[in-house]
């Protein structure tokens, strides 16, 4: 006779049932920034939003409300809002250290720039040009990260304002107000992605070279053919870019 195994209930009412769950939070990007591919419309919309906020607050304090076209002060204030947000996202540790009056970490990528915070809470490059007559942006440029969209929009805007200048001219102009990290790479990428520059990029035709003369491809004794310079040197320029003159001579060959 076979023994019958007793049945065991898998569900025990005294034991609390545990359900495993994984909670994730997705970090949403700024929706306003994703809606624009140009810098100027983004800055103007931000300026109108700031004006609406200021007018709403002025209604309670009985102050005058602003209306009409945007002023240069409002546009500059809107640009500073985005610059502060960019630096707050990209340089969190550096911003926290500078806010407390400390130096940045030795491992920071801004260590060699001697950064500091100005009165508008913007990280700038330090230097020894305080007594110079240059503007504040020229003496102490604003630090920009290399991977943020605002940096790319700034390069794109200045590239168009400079009438599609080359990478070196674009980077030199950006250094008058900003100090972008890896700026040379961003400058080259901006010019490379520009559709207008790609369409109007000059292409030079390379002509087929003629056959070499018989005197240069046949074996002969030395001084079998001689030449006399009748005049020269004559400076001749040949090429398309970075043309340099070369010396040429007029000769008479005799067999």
């Amino acid at each position: 006779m076979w023994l019958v195994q007793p049945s065991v209930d898998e569900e025990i009412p005294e034991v609390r049932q545990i359900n495993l769950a994984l909670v994730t939070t997705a970090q949403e990007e700024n929706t306003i920034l994703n809606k624009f591919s140009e810098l100027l419309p983004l800055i103007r919309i931000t300026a109108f939003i700031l004006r609406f906020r200021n007018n709403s607050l002025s209604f309670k304090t009985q102050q005058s409300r602003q209306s009409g076209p945007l002023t240069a002060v409002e546009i500059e204030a809107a640009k500073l809002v985005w610059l502060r947000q960019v630096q707050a996202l990209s340089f969190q540790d550096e911003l926290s250290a500078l806010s407390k009056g400390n130096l940045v970490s030795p491992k920071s990528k801004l260590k060699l720039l001697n950064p500091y915070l100005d009165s508008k809470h913007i990280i700038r490059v330090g230097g020894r040009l305080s007594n110079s007559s240059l503007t504040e942006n020229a003496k102490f440029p604003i630090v920009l990260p290399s991977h943020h969209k605002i940096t790319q929009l700034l390069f794109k805007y200045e590239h168009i304002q400079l009438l599609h200048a080359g990478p070196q001219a674009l980077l030199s102009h950006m250094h008058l107000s900003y100090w972008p990290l890896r700026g040379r790479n961003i400058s080259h990428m901006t010019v490379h992605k520009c559709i207008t520059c790609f369409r109007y990029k000059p292409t030079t035709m390379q002509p087929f070279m003629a056959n070499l003369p018989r005197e240069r491809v046949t074996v002969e004794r030395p001084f079998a053919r001689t030449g006399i310079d009748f005049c020269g040197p004559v400076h001749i320029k040949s090429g398309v870019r970075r043309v340099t003159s070369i010396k040429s001579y007029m000769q008479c060959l005799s067999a």
Side-chain angles (χ1 to χ4, degrees):
M1 181 176 179
W2 297 97
L3 296 177
V4 179
Q5 296 291 338
S7 60
V8 179
D9 295 334
E10 296 180 359
E11 298 181 1
I12 303 176
E14 289 80 7
V15 179
R16 177 183 296 180
Q17 185 177 3
I18 300 176
N19 296 326
L20 298 178
L22 179 62
V23 180
T24 60
T25 57
Q27 184 178 3
E28 297 183 358
E29 297 181 358
N30 198 304
T31 57
I32 299 180
L33 182 59
N34 295 333
K35 291 182 179 179
F36 293 93
S37 60
E38 301 290 340
L39 178 66
L40 190 57
L42 175 64
I43 297 299
R44 292 181 60 85
I45 291 297
T46 307
F48 277 115
I49 294 175
L50 294 178
R51 173 184 286 186
F52 176 78
R53 185 197 65 176
N54 296 333
N55 290 340
S56 301
L57 295 177
S58 63
F59 180 77
K60 299 180 181 180
T61 58
Q62 301 298 327
Q63 296 179 358
S64 60
R65 304 177 63 183
Q66 295 181 348
S67 61
L70 293 173
T71 61
V73 177
E74 291 178 313
I75 294 178
E76 185 65 22
K79 184 185 295 185
L80 291 179
V81 168
W82 283 109
L83 293 177
R84 277 193 292 266
Q85 183 176 1
V86 169
Q87 293 183 348
L89 293 176
S90 303
F91 309 123
Q92 298 180 1
D93 298 336
E94 292 82 358
L95 191 61
S96 176
L98 294 175
S99 301
K100 299 177 182 179
N102 302 328
L103 297 177
V104 297
S105 173
K107 299 181 180 180
S108 174
K109 49 190 173 183
L110 304 183
K111 177 64 177 178
L112 299 179
L113 300 180
N114 191 21
Y116 76 98
L117 279 179
D118 62 356
S119 58
K120 299 178 182 179
H121 211 68
I122 297 292
I123 301 178
R124 294 180 177 271
V125 178
R128 300 185 299 171
L129 300 178
S130 301
N131 299 325
S132 175
S133 59
L134 300 174
T135 60
E136 184 181 7
N137 290 336
K139 291 187 294 186
F140 310 108
I142 300 175
V143 182
L144 293 177
S146 59
H147 58 276
H148 202 275
K149 186 176 180 180
I150 291 294
T151 306
Q152 300 174 2
L153 294 181
L154 279 170
F155 269 86
K156 182 179 179 181
Y157 174 76
E158 297 297 340
H159 175 62
I160 298 176
Q161 290 297 113
L162 294 175
L163 302 179
H164 300 274
Q168 188 63 35
L170 176 60
L171 182 61
S172 299
H173 181 76
M174 289 293 297
H175 280 168
L176 296 178
S177 301
Y178 307 98
W179 191 271
L181 303 180
R182 302 180 62 185
R184 189 178 301 275
N185 296 338
I186 305 175
S187 180
H188 281 277
M189 182 180 63
T190 303
V191 177
H192 179 72
K193 290 185 177 181
C194 181
I195 299 178
T196 304
C197 294
F198 176 79
R199 289 179 177 177
Y200 292 94
K201 184 178 181 181
T203 56
T204 57
M205 295 183 60
Q206 297 294 335
F208 291 99
M209 301 298 292
N211 293 329
L212 296 175
R214 184 177 60 86
E215 291 79 5
R216 295 185 58 183
V217 295
T218 56
V219 179
E220 293 183 353
R221 296 180 61 85
F223 302 104
R225 299 179 181 274
T226 59
I228 301 175
D229 295 336
F230 284 92
C231 61
V234 179
H235 295 275
I236 298 178
K237 293 183 179 181
S238 177
V240 178
R241 294 182 177 178
R242 297 182 179 179
V243 180
T244 57
S245 60
I246 58 176
K247 295 182 179 181
S248 302
Y249 299 88
M250 296 184 182
Q251 297 180 349
C252 178
L253 298 176
S254 61

